[in-house]
Amino acid sequence: MNLKSGFLLFLFGLLAGCSTEIGLIVPGDPLPVVYCLLDPEDSVQYVRMGSTYAVNPGDTSFKPGQEDILIDEDIQVYLSAEYSTYAQEIFYGTLIDTIPKNSGWFPSSVNHLYAIRCVLQPGTRYSLYVHFLKTNRIIHAETGSFTSQFQVIDPEIVPGREATLLPGIDFFVRFNPAGSIFQSTMTFRYAENKEGTWTNHSLVFPQKFVFVFDKTVKYAEQRISGERFLIDVSRALKSDPAVRRVPLGLDFHVSCGGDDLALKINAENNTQSFSILEVNSFDNAIGVFSCLSHSYVRNVPLSRFTIDTLALGPITRGLGFMTAEQIDSLNYEPH
């Protein structure tokens, strides 16, 4: 018998003796889960530590116990800043339990949170280390801070400037490309009058992610559809003949994330096979280590065109919004 025939017989015997069932979930040691989003605007950085656990497919009743997610070992957490002068500075973390958490799947007793006092420097490389003292294991990740401060360019509060959202007329949020991923959240604020009593309300409209990996562009932007705004308002509010509504304005919350956060979210939005696990910031753990900054623009007034369209347009006509002229005659002042 030649070598080739012997190998084929061996392979046939191996296949014949094996089960055809494939187990996708097998027992194994739990992996640490680490989340650290560095905030350039804060003097304290936070690291959240946990552990993985397995859930059987289709079993919605399973609730992990402390033994499933507890890191039952003393650990040391520290941040290393590596400056362009080849100098290095170490910042150590302390375990804290002063931030309240709910009593759900991740209670405070097993979800460790560490605070590191560190003011980020622009354009600096940072390394995060987690040292398990008993087993002498090391978790490591690296990321870079923003080279410039994150700023929103538009909308900018300027006297006389108003926001217009109409069918065929969209609104743009623009910002400097300090990071690689951005998301705008627009909040529409309005007041309701029912039986002579005014109450303030709001509708929150998160926008899609914007990815900008080319840092040479002067600014990045996010388009907010005027027609989609009117459709979303019509779907969120109910018609009530006894209710009169007054638009108050718009607030914007714009978030900016670093390269590592952009890669992680992009992988989760385009999941193929096990791509979520393949995109990971850490060695010997899973999670994300990146920068995240926020900017807020509040009290952006709506144009009279938008106010009248909310009151008279075919999409929102039955929702009780008052026209700009009616609001003027009412002399309404926000409460």
Side-chain angles (χ1 to χ4, degrees):
M1 180 184 295
N2 60 32
L3 180 63
K4 183 176 181 181
S5 299
F7 176 76
L8 290 176
L9 287 174
F10 169 77
L11 182 61
F12 176 79
L14 180 65
L15 293 175
C18 292
S19 170
T20 57
E21 296 181 358
I22 299 176
L24 293 180
I25 297 180
V26 297
D29 294 332
L31 279 173
V33 181
V34 187
Y35 286 96
C36 179
L37 297 173
L38 302 175
D39 186 352
E41 306 298 324
D42 201 343
S43 60
V44 179
Q45 312 302 328
Y46 295 95
V47 180
R48 192 181 72 187
M49 292 284 303
S51 185
T52 57
Y53 57 90
V55 178
N56 292 326
D59 185 4
T60 59
S61 63
F62 175 76
K63 179 179 179 181
Q66 290 194 9
E67 68 279 2
D68 296 304
I69 57 178
L70 173 66
I71 297 179
D72 190 18
E73 185 175 348
D74 291 333
I75 59 178
Q76 187 180 59
V77 178
Y78 55 97
L79 197 63
S80 170
E82 301 161 7
Y83 303 117
S84 58
T85 58
Y86 300 101
Q88 188 179 56
E89 191 172 5
I90 305 296
F91 306 88
Y92 290 93
T94 56
L95 181 64
I96 60 174
D97 56 5
T98 56
I99 298 179
K101 306 182 186 70
N102 61 36
S103 57
W105 280 32
F106 306 102
S108 59
S109 58
V110 295
N111 192 31
H112 295 180
L113 188 66
Y114 290 81
I116 303 176
R117 293 198 169 274
C118 174
V119 177
L120 300 185
Q121 302 299 317
T124 301
R125 198 72 186 167
Y126 286 90
S127 296
L128 178 65
Y129 295 91
V130 179
H131 183 196
F132 290 78
L133 301 180
K134 181 180 179 180
T135 56
N136 200 28
R137 293 178 295 155
I138 293 289
I139 293 173
H140 168 257
E142 294 184 5
T143 194
S145 61
F146 299 146
T147 56
S148 61
Q149 183 180 7
F150 173 56
Q151 294 178 331
V152 175
I153 301 171
D154 203 12
E156 183 182 7
I157 300 299
V158 176
R161 178 179 292 183
E162 299 170 327
T164 298
L165 286 155
L166 300 173
I169 300 180
D170 301 331
F171 188 79
F172 289 85
V173 179
R174 295 182 174 90
F175 29 80
N176 71 316
S180 297
I181 182 172
F182 305 85
Q183 185 183 32
S184 303
T185 300
M186 183 178 71
T187 300
F188 170 54
R189 294 182 296 103
Y190 63 97
E192 283 187 356
N193 184 293
K194 186 171 185 178
E195 298 178 352
T197 301
W198 285 99
T199 55
N200 291 335
H201 302 270
S202 62
L203 298 174
V204 180
F205 301 122
Q207 307 300 309
K208 293 182 179 180
F209 293 112
V210 173
F211 296 93
V212 181
F213 293 103
D214 183 5
K215 299 298 191 301
T216 63
V217 298
K218 293 183 178 179
Y219 63 85
E221 65 181 17
Q222 185 160 52
R223 177 197 298 263
I224 300 177
S225 168
E227 185 171 10
R228 171 55 58 184
F229 164 70
L230 297 174
I231 293 173
D232 289 342
V233 170
S234 69
R235 290 176 175 175
L237 300 181
K238 294 182 179 180
S239 178
D240 187 344
V243 171
R244 291 294 176 265
R245 294 183 168 111
V246 172
L248 300 180
L250 303 174
D251 296 336
F252 293 89
H253 172 195
V254 187
S255 301
C256 169
D259 294 346
D260 302 276
L261 186 60
L263 292 173
K264 183 74 171 178
I265 293 178
N266 190 43
E268 293 181 357
N269 286 346
N270 300 280
T271 305
Q272 298 291 335
S273 182
F274 296 99
S275 61
I276 293 178
L277 297 179
E278 293 168 1
V279 179
N280 177 47
S281 298
F282 287 90
D283 298 323
N284 306 319
I286 59 175
V288 62
F289 178 47
S290 188
C291 281
L292 180 63
S293 187
H294 305 275
S295 186
Y296 301 88
V297 181
R298 297 182 173 89
N299 301 320
V300 178
L302 288 168
S303 68
R304 296 177 71 88
F305 300 105
T306 305
I307 294 173
D308 286 343
T309 301
L310 284 167
L312 305 174
I315 300 176
T316 54
R317 182 182 300 156
L319 299 178
F321 281 104
M322 303 177 68
T323 65
E325 184 177 355
Q326 289 172 331
I327 297 172
D328 291 341
S329 63
L330 185 65
N331 292 323
Y332 175 82
E333 293 185 2
H335 295 73

